[in-house]
Amino acid sequence: MRKRTGILLLLLVSCTPRLERGDWIPETYDALQTLVSDKGNRGGYAVFDCDNTSILHDVTHTLMVYQIENLRFAIAAEHGFTDGLQRTDFPMEGLGMTAAQMGASLREGYLSLKGRLDAGVPLEEIHASEEYLDWRARFLAFYKAIGRNYSYGELCLWEPSIAAGFPEEELRALGRESIHHWLLQEKAWNEEWVSPDGRWTGVAEKGLVVTKEMKNLYRTLRKAGITPYIVSASPEWLVEILACDPDRGFGLSPEEVFGVRFVETPDGSWDYEQGYHQPFKEGKVALIDSLIAPRYDGRDPVLAAGDSEGDV
């Protein structure tokens, strides 16, 4: 009996998948490998944030930058870029004007720039103009001010709301374009945008990177019988484009990806889907408890990974 037990233990140890060392910090690597060894083959699960955790940079922010650089907005331009904000009539700290005023200013600038593009002016020529350089810097100054003056939930609704107004297939195509474009850069970097007069400034996050270490971690967990999930404050449809890609992402199924979910309002904008725990801040825990844990007899995840206050 002892010999058989010893053989069984040896088989179990030999079957434990090894995480590739890669560029992990040694302490982190050791902790992850211990987790895989101790918690594997028990039918558990792990939960990851997407942006700046599973990947470098943010799929929603880079989509916004892609739209700005390619002048690709639909209903946001009609509404003054203020959808998702509950109040737009108070002077915003750090901006010196209301959201309604800034939104109207961005709308006017966008229509002027888009008119030039539609008239055949090359995009590169538009990019070099002071009008465009001012407009893009004002856009990111507005984004920064929203983060200061509104709740986290409003920011999580506003940023993707500027992509509203496209038919569903066109919207998904835009998301795929953005992700494809930024992955091709094979790096992630920040770029400061300053208006020609120096009044407006903001930081544009550019590039998306899925590191070999994170791909291997997802694969290793799955081999060990630990199912990886993504729970993100980015739009679910956008996260799925990257996370479910077997080559460039992690090969997850849509049932393993949870993000912010929207419903279309009568005026064509977006609002949060009711009856669903939107996965930011406390909502992430509520979503795990209500939609993921029941798949595992109510058990907690063996690993939860995030990078910001929205995950804590």
Side-chain angles (χ1 to χ4, degrees), residues 10-45:
L10 181 61
L11 286 172
L12 287 174
V13 170
S14 64
C15 289
T16 300
R18 296 291 302 178
L19 184 68
E20 293 177 4
R21 186 163 291 277
D23 288 330
W24 289 106
I25 295 171
E27 294 83 358
T28 305
Y29 174 84
D30 291 342
L32 289 171
Q33 186 57 57
T34 299
L35 174 88
V36 171
S37 300
D38 292 350
K39 303 293 185 181
N41 302 307
R42 299 184 186 180
Y45 68 101

Side-chain angles (χ1 to χ4, degrees), residues 130-194:
E130 289 200 355
E131 181 185 7
Y132 173 78
L133 295 175
D134 177 79
W135 179 77
R136 73 171 190 176
R138 277 189 291 126
F139 206 119
L140 288 191
F142 187 37
Y143 165 73
K144 181 168 61 177
I146 289 171
R148 288 181 180 176
N149 290 267
Y150 290 87
S151 70
Y152 192 86
E154 286 176 283
L155 176 63
C156 289
L157 178 59
W158 175 82
E159 193 174 8
S161 285
I162 62 177
F166 294 100
E168 183 177 354
E169 280 307 307
E170 194 172 335
L171 177 64
R172 289 182 180 274
L174 178 65
R176 285 191 292 269
E177 280 181 37
S178 172
I179 288 172
H180 177 70
H181 170 77
W182 294 122
L183 285 174
L184 281 179
Q185 312 308 309
E186 297 185 336
K187 62 179 181 177
W189 75 101
N190 292 340
E191 191 172 285
E192 186 176 25
W193 289 354
V194 182

Side-chain angles (χ1 to χ4, degrees), residues 69 108 136 180 217 220 272 308:
E69 292 196 323
E108 181 180 355
R136 73 171 190 176
H180 177 70
L217 175 57
T220 302
Y272 286 128
S308 73

Side-chain angles (χ1 to χ4, degrees), residues 169-297:
E169 280 307 307
E170 194 172 335
L171 177 64
R172 289 182 180 274
L174 178 65
R176 285 191 292 269
E177 280 181 37
S178 172
I179 288 172
H180 177 70
H181 170 77
W182 294 122
L183 285 174
L184 281 179
Q185 312 308 309
E186 297 185 336
K187 62 179 181 177
W189 75 101
N190 292 340
E191 191 172 285
E192 186 176 25
W193 289 354
V194 182
S195 61
D197 61 6
R199 181 181 179 185
W200 309 112
T201 182
V203 175
E205 295 182 4
K206 292 191 166 187
L208 292 171
V209 175
V210 184
T211 67
K212 64 182 185 299
E213 287 81 6
M214 288 305 298
K215 284 187 175 183
N216 178 248
L217 175 57
Y218 273 70
R219 285 195 301 266
T220 302
L221 288 171
R222 199 177 290 279
K223 286 179 182 178
I226 300 171
T227 304
Y229 289 84
I230 285 181
V231 177
S232 171
S234 280
E236 188 170 276
W237 66 269
L238 185 58
V239 177
E240 285 179 0
I241 291 172
L242 181 54
C244 298
D245 189 308
D247 299 316
R248 300 185 299 177
F250 304 105
L252 301 187
S253 70
E255 292 74 23
E256 295 165 345
V257 177
F258 293 89
V260 174
R261 293 180 182 177
F262 305 101
V263 292
E264 189 171 349
T265 64
D267 66 357
S269 61
W270 289 342
D271 199 357
Y272 286 128
E273 179 181 306
Q274 299 301 306
Y276 171 79
H277 295 291
Q278 301 298 336
F280 50 81
K281 292 198 170 183
E282 294 85 351
K284 287 203 169 190
V285 178
L287 187 145
I288 293 167
D289 287 345
S290 63
L291 296 181
I292 302 178
R295 302 178 184 180
Y296 301 87
D297 299 321

Side-chain angles (χ1 to χ4, degrees), residues 60-118:
T60 309
H61 183 92
T62 50
L63 173 60
M64 177 180 69
V65 172
Y66 185 79
Q67 290 181 264
I68 292 171
E69 292 196 323
N70 290 278
L71 299 174
R72 297 275 296 278
F73 295 96
I75 205 167
E78 298 176 18
H79 289 196
F81 297 95
T82 57
D83 288 350
L85 304 179
Q86 296 300 308
R87 285 187 56 204
T88 62
D89 59 351
F90 64 92
M92 300 174 70
E93 178 187 345
L95 207 59
M97 62 177 68
T98 67
Q101 290 169 330
M102 184 56 122
S105 171
L106 290 173
R107 176 182 183 275
E108 181 180 355
Y110 174 75
L111 294 177
S112 173
L113 292 166
K114 189 65 163 60
R116 293 175 61 194
L117 183 67
D118 292 343

